[in-house]
Amino acid sequence: MAVAETGRRVPLNPDMIEMPASAGGLPRLVGSCCPACGARFAARRAICLQCAHRGIERCTLSPTGTVWTFTVVRQQPPGSILQAPYAIAQVQLDDGPIVAAPLVDTAIDAVRVGLPVEMTLCDAGRDADGNTLVAHAFRARREEEQ
Amino acid sequence: MTSERDVVVLGVGLHPFGRFPDRSLDDLARHAALAALDDAGITFREIEAGFVGRVGGTGPPVGVGTRIFSELGQHGIPITNIELACGSSSRALMHAADMIRAGSAETAMVIGVEKMERGMLQVGGAGATSYASVMGLNVMPAAYAMRAQRHMEEYGTKPEHFAQVSVKAHRNAMHNPYAQYRVAITLEEVLGSRMVCDPLTLYQCCPTSDGASAVILASAARGRRHTASPVRLAAWAGGSPVYENGHEGLGEGPTGAVARRAYARASIGPEDIDVTQVHDAFTPGEILTIEELGYVKPGDGGPFVFGGGTEITGKYPVNTDGGLLSRGHPMGATGGAMVTEVVRQLRGQAGARQVEGARAGLVQNAGIGGVNVLVLSA
């Protein structure tokens, strides 16, 4: 899924990804980490689920992980920009948290539990100002395909 | 040994589940409520507290419970709306039971009701613009499909194991006049129906439905005025997802832990349960839940179901009325319908789907973010 070359790229959900500051930089997944106990979360949180610390901090998460479980959606859900059939997964990131996301650029038949994956971006439509919305997804890690 | 503040089920009633475009939410609810009053042999004036379990989505969002109850009569009782997604009316029953056990009411009526749109349910509602909606993640069958894939990976559970749940559900529903689908289907038909979310085919997904349930609870002391041998609501427990081992709780919550709490309160174990209703919104619901309830070891659920273990004549009869898959799943009504079936089984009123000699029954009803387990005894 190629990202449009022109126009500004804006994250669909800025709470979940951080766009690179420089042209060649990589986008990062964003989560929360606890300065008191070190627990890491995929979602943005105010309070630590592990130690109840208040004042949890925004942090970037590992861009790689493995498929914890998955399915192939074969009936088109209303409102989705992905066209069925497409694969979705719960990905366990290398630094712990599990995130749900689509799997793109990967043959549906090749998806399995334990598949090593890496974060990528895909188009998620356009916003009211004509900017390209981008959202995170995962794809099979390239070394896995070789 | 019973105490005066034990909770008994005095009456149950349903509006048939299915599609009723000409009947309003209030019509469905009133039908079930009157059926439950007739079953109990009491008048509405004897009800001291009212609860309505409903999810909503279409129709009036505010004050539904008070309006529904005000059509039955107006004698000033407290009325409470309870929403826990697909587990709404079983959670409402738990709060009604708490009131009775605490002595703040002698009787309570719980109405569960829903009218639903056709088609795949949208988590977060239609038109949602969240990441999950736009990226195609808000797909109800996908949540169960992903649990099924994990189970297949860990234990070798097979697609036909899941499919068999639907075959059995449809066969049982043939004997349930309140069921939405009263037609038998074969394993080949289930497996051959359109794939929705691997490994779940269309006939492994519950329908959307219209319907209503009503359950009347009473204290044991009040119940004795009306019947010598009422079904007891012996124990109830609820829960929500648990953060453990560094992972946020997923889905419905800790069914196993909630069940163990209910078993302890009822002073029984899983081996004592004669008839069970579980939340089979999709076929993995039955296989995964019988493991969590302790009926079989983790990983044994698939072969157990495939071998007939959850048939009416099996070791642990499950979803004797067709379950969500075939009875139908009007979300707010489902918990009350599960309790209704167990009550009919424990009274020996289940006709062709009767489990012989059933003395104890269990209901497991789950919604997004919560799970309830109720134990009933004859």
Side-chain angles (χ1 to χ4, degrees):
Chain A
M1 230 177 246
V3 170
E5 297 297 324
T6 56
R8 225 160 65 82
R9 295 193 301 167
V10 177
L12 171 68
N13 186 344
D15 272 356
M16 298 170 95
I17 50 174
E18 196 169 276
M19 297 301 286
S22 62
L26 293 171
R28 296 298 302 265
L29 272 174
V30 174
S32 314
C33 62
C34 177
C37 76
R40 299 170 79 79
F41 306 94
R44 297 302 308 282
R45 291 193 166 276
I47 298 163
C48 180
L49 291 177
Q50 181 75 46
C51 72
H53 176 78
R54 305 174 193 180
I56 207 162
E57 293 167 357
R58 182 181 169 105
C59 67
T60 55
L61 301 173
S62 170
T64 57
T66 56
V67 171
W68 192 78
T69 189
F70 72 99
T71 186
V72 178
V73 178
R74 295 184 189 270
Q75 177 175 332
Q76 185 64 32
S80 164
I81 56 136
L82 294 173
Q83 293 300 310
Y86 59 89
I88 63 175
Q90 288 172 350
V91 172
Q92 176 149 35
L93 300 176
D94 289 341
D95 54 354
I98 290 179
V99 298
L103 292 176
V104 298
D105 300 339
T106 306
I108 283 171
D109 294 343
V111 180
R112 56 179 170 80
V113 173
L115 179 74
V117 293
E118 61 190 8
M119 183 203 160
T120 184
L121 287 183
C122 63
D123 275 358
R126 288 185 181 276
D127 69 10
D129 300 326
N131 297 312
T132 300
L133 289 168
V134 292
H136 66 277
F138 288 85
R139 64 182 180 194
R141 257 184 256 170
R142 290 203 176 131
E143 59 267 29
E144 178 71 15
E145 290 173 341
Q146 286 164 1
Chain B
M1 207 175 75
T2 59
S3 105
E4 299 290 279
R5 298 251 55 89
D6 279 352
V7 179
V8 301
V9 181
L10 216 49
V12 292
L14 298 177
H15 182 287
F17 286 14
R19 299 201 189 282
F20 301 94
D22 299 333
R23 293 189 199 176
S24 71
L25 195 78
D26 305 54
D27 292 338
L28 302 175
R30 188 174 57 250
H31 180 106
L34 295 177
L37 287 169
D38 291 348
D39 183 53
I42 65 173
T43 65
F44 183 64
R45 286 197 68 84
E46 294 172 81
I47 300 295
E48 298 182 11
F51 289 84
V52 164
R54 177 185 173 243
V55 182
T58 60
V62 174
V64 167
T66 43
R67 197 189 64 215
I68 285 169
F69 270 98
S70 76
E71 290 190 14
L72 295 168
Q74 297 184 1
H75 55 288
I77 60 173
I79 294 154
T80 307
N81 293 288
I82 301 276
E83 187 270 306
L84 184 67
C86 307
S88 294
S89 56
S90 60
R91 179 60 56 84
L93 271 162
M94 291 165 50
H95 290 302
D98 285 335
M99 278 186 86
I100 290 168
R101 191 164 60 179
S104 46
E106 293 300 316
T107 62
M109 175 185 275
V110 175
I111 298 174
V113 64
E114 207 75 49
K115 277 182 78 72
M116 295 172 70
E117 306 275 4
R118 283 170 182 263
M120 197 151 65
L121 207 58
Q122 279 293 89
V123 185
T129 56
S130 68
Y131 170 82
S133 294
V134 173
M135 300 307 284
L137 302 174
N138 272 351
V139 180
M140 280 307 299
Y144 280 76
M146 287 199 279
R147 292 171 71 198
Q149 291 284 357
R150 187 74 204 173
H151 205 262
M152 291 162 74
E153 172 73 16
E154 287 185 11
Y155 301 115
T157 308
K158 295 179 167 46
E160 55 264 39
H161 295 162
F162 295 114
Q164 181 64 28
V165 172
S166 183
V167 174
K168 188 249 326 168
H170 281 76
R171 195 186 314 119
N172 288 352
M174 289 178 71
H175 305 294
N176 179 3
Y178 295 91
Q180 185 162 357
Y181 294 131
R182 300 183 62 196
V183 57
I185 50 175
T186 65
L187 187 65
E188 291 68 33
E189 286 171 321
V190 175
L191 288 168
S193 62
R194 177 165 57 83
M195 187 65 80
V196 174
C197 287
D198 304 27
L200 303 183
T201 55
L202 182 64
Y203 294 167
Q204 299 183 62
C205 306
C206 72
T208 59
S209 319
D210 302 340
S213 60
V215 178
I216 298 171
L217 301 179
S219 65
R222 177 63 64 88
R224 263 196 300 277
R225 292 189 196 170
H226 303 281
T227 169
S229 54
V231 169
R232 274 183 70 217
L233 181 55
W236 53 97
S240 57
V242 175
Y243 175 83
E244 57 188 352
N245 305 323
H247 291 297
E248 297 180 46
L250 299 169
E252 300 158 346
T255 293
V258 170
R260 287 189 290 278
R261 212 179 308 145
Y263 292 144
R265 288 175 187 169
S267 302
I268 62 170
E271 65 283 358
D272 299 314
I273 302 294
D274 301 312
V275 58
T276 302
Q277 302 292 308
V278 302
H279 198 82
D280 62 338
F282 304 90
T283 52
E286 176 165 319
I287 289 176
L288 274 56
T289 302
I290 62 171
E291 295 178 0
E292 292 183 275
L293 293 175
Y295 295 179
V296 295
K297 288 203 298 288
D300 287 354
F304 184 78
V305 166
F306 200 70
T310 57
E311 298 277 353
I312 287 171
T313 52
K315 185 179 178 192
Y316 286 106
V318 173
N319 293 353
T320 47
D321 66 348
L324 282 62
L325 287 166
S326 306
R327 180 194 63 233
H329 181 34
M331 297 180 289
T334 287
M338 292 171 141
V339 168
T340 295
E341 173 65 5
V342 168
V343 167
R344 287 183 173 146
Q345 289 281 351
L346 298 181
R347 289 174 178 170
Q349 296 173 338
R353 46 178 214 284
Q354 182 66 47
V355 174
E356 284 308 314
R359 301 288 300 163
L362 182 145
V363 165
Q364 178 262 354
N365 182 205
I368 296 169
V371 61
N372 304 320
V373 172
L374 296 85
V375 175
L376 297 102
S377 62

